Amino acid sequence: AVDESELLTVPDGWKEPAFTREDNPKGLLEESSFATLFPKYREAYLKECWPLVQKALGEHYVNAALDLIEGSMTVTTTKKTFDPYAIIRARDLIKLLARSVPFEQAVRILQDDVACDIIKIGSLVRKRETFIKRRARLLGPKGSTLKALELLTNCYIMVQGNTVSALGPFSGLKEVRKVVLDTMKNIHPIYNIKTLMIKRELAKDPELRMQSWERFLPKFKRKNLKKRKEPKKKNTKKEYTPFPPPQPESQIDKELASGEYFLKERQKKRKRMEEIKAKQADAVKRRQEERNKAFIPPKEKPVVKTKKASTEKKIDIEAIKEKVKNAKKKKLGALPEEEVKLKMAADEKKKKKK
């Protein structure tokens, strides 16, 4: 009896045997070819590294042609080609070269355990400014986020224009695609990086191989939900009344109420002119006041005279007298010989008593 968990896992160090000519001795029946265009700025680099591309593809018996006039790369099979999947790998190689992936990395696609994925992100976000910000978020400060993602997935990732090119094992490519699409959906890549780090540690434990990892993985929730913006003008519904609103007064009604209707045309004209002149006089007055503001002197602060520190210090006579008395009591100089002998005798008596 064999444990099911052992059947589901690949043994360490196991590799699928390489496809050789013995597996397909007669070769291919038909000729296949793929072509792809490349941007103008890649022309100089491709021209420089094209001999290396031809040499790498020549080992798999695949021809490669570079057309600088049309701006395209073409790969075709030959009569000696025995691996049917070699043309697919050659197609991916020229696609990666067109997407600014260096030749040293792109040539790895010809290996059996390496695959590639070109993720189109240009049409996932509407606004161009938002797209540029989210693409920069994928790179991180000084490319640190992208580097962390490469280390966790064992993939080479290249962000260029409207696409993200990834090169590495199949399991890593799956994670890269998920992270890139989530970033374009405004989910920060740091959350996915944390999840990948936890998964990497869990994979080391053989006991957790057949268990669900949901309880170990973090569940991130959005906390900073923005409140819905309230409109500046709120339309409040008025109370329903069966009566229609009162009819607004016409110009004639207003003139009748003010008595202007009964004035003559000359009087009406004079009144209008007087109103215009009064408005003009007010405007002139306001302008003159604004101009005069510049000529009004500011209020000066009152000058505060600083008191000079008194140089003369009050002499305390009593303190000086005390100092003189104390000095007289103190004996200056060496003691006389008689006093020294008496002092020494007293000290000896004290020692004997002890």
Side-chain angles (χ1 to χ4, degrees), residues 129-172:
E129 294 84 8
T130 313
F131 168 72
I132 291 164
K133 282 180 183 177
R134 289 182 188 175
R135 187 179 63 183
R137 194 182 292 169
L138 188 65
L139 292 167
K142 296 180 181 178
S144 58
T145 307
L146 196 70
K147 188 69 180 172
L149 201 60
E150 285 181 347
L151 291 169
L152 288 167
T153 57
N154 296 323
C155 293
Y156 173 81
I157 305 164
M158 182 74 185
V159 181
Q160 177 71 20
N162 295 330
T163 58
V164 177
S165 307
L167 188 76
F170 289 98
S171 58

Side-chain angles (χ1 to χ4, degrees), residues 100-258:
S100 297
V101 177
F103 171 75
E104 291 80 9
Q105 292 289 342
V107 78
R108 286 170 54 212
I109 195 67
L110 299 174
Q111 299 171 14
D112 288 336
D113 57 344
V114 178
C116 76
D117 189 10
I118 296 170
I119 307 154
K120 293 178 181 178
I121 56 172
S123 59
L124 297 175
V125 185
R126 286 183 183 179
K127 288 184 180 178
R128 184 71 184 168
E129 294 84 8
T130 313
F131 168 72
I132 291 164
K133 282 180 183 177
R134 289 182 188 175
R135 187 179 63 183
R137 194 182 292 169
L138 188 65
L139 292 167
K142 296 180 181 178
S144 58
T145 307
L146 196 70
K147 188 69 180 172
L149 201 60
E150 285 181 347
L151 291 169
L152 288 167
T153 57
N154 296 323
C155 293
Y156 173 81
I157 305 164
M158 182 74 185
V159 181
Q160 177 71 20
N162 295 330
T163 58
V164 177
S165 307
L167 188 76
F170 289 98
S171 58
L173 293 175
K174 188 180 175 183
E175 296 293 345
V176 170
R177 177 171 275 273
K178 183 182 179 296
V179 174
V180 169
L181 294 177
D182 282 354
T183 306
M184 289 295 121
K185 290 175 187 173
N186 203 19
I187 298 167
H188 204 281
I190 196 69
Y191 299 127
N192 286 309
I193 286 169
K194 281 183 179 179
T195 309
L196 286 170
M197 287 170 75
I198 292 163
K199 281 182 179 177
R200 192 192 220 182
E201 292 300 317
L202 292 170
K204 293 175 183 177
D205 192 351
E207 292 179 3
L208 297 170
R209 191 162 46 185
M210 297 298 292
Q211 294 179 19
S212 176
W213 292 352
E214 285 295 321
R215 57 201 170 106
F216 300 109
L217 301 177
K219 292 176 182 177
F220 300 105
K221 291 181 181 179
R222 287 188 179 181
K223 292 180 182 178
N224 56 343
L225 291 171
K226 289 183 179 179
K227 291 181 181 178
R228 189 182 172 188
K229 288 182 180 179
E230 294 182 358
K232 288 181 180 179
K233 293 180 180 179
K234 290 184 180 180
N235 296 326
T236 53
K237 287 186 177 180
K238 294 176 182 178
E239 292 181 6
Y240 173 73
T241 53
F243 306 104
Q247 193 173 357
E249 289 185 347
S250 64
Q251 189 66 28
I252 295 166
D253 292 337
K254 289 176 184 177
E255 287 179 359
L256 283 167
S258 62

Side-chain angles (χ1 to χ4, degrees), residues 33-46:
S33 66
F34 288 102
T36 186
L37 299 171
F38 60 86
K40 185 74 176 173
Y41 63 85
R42 290 292 288 170
E43 186 178 316
Y45 180 78
L46 290 171

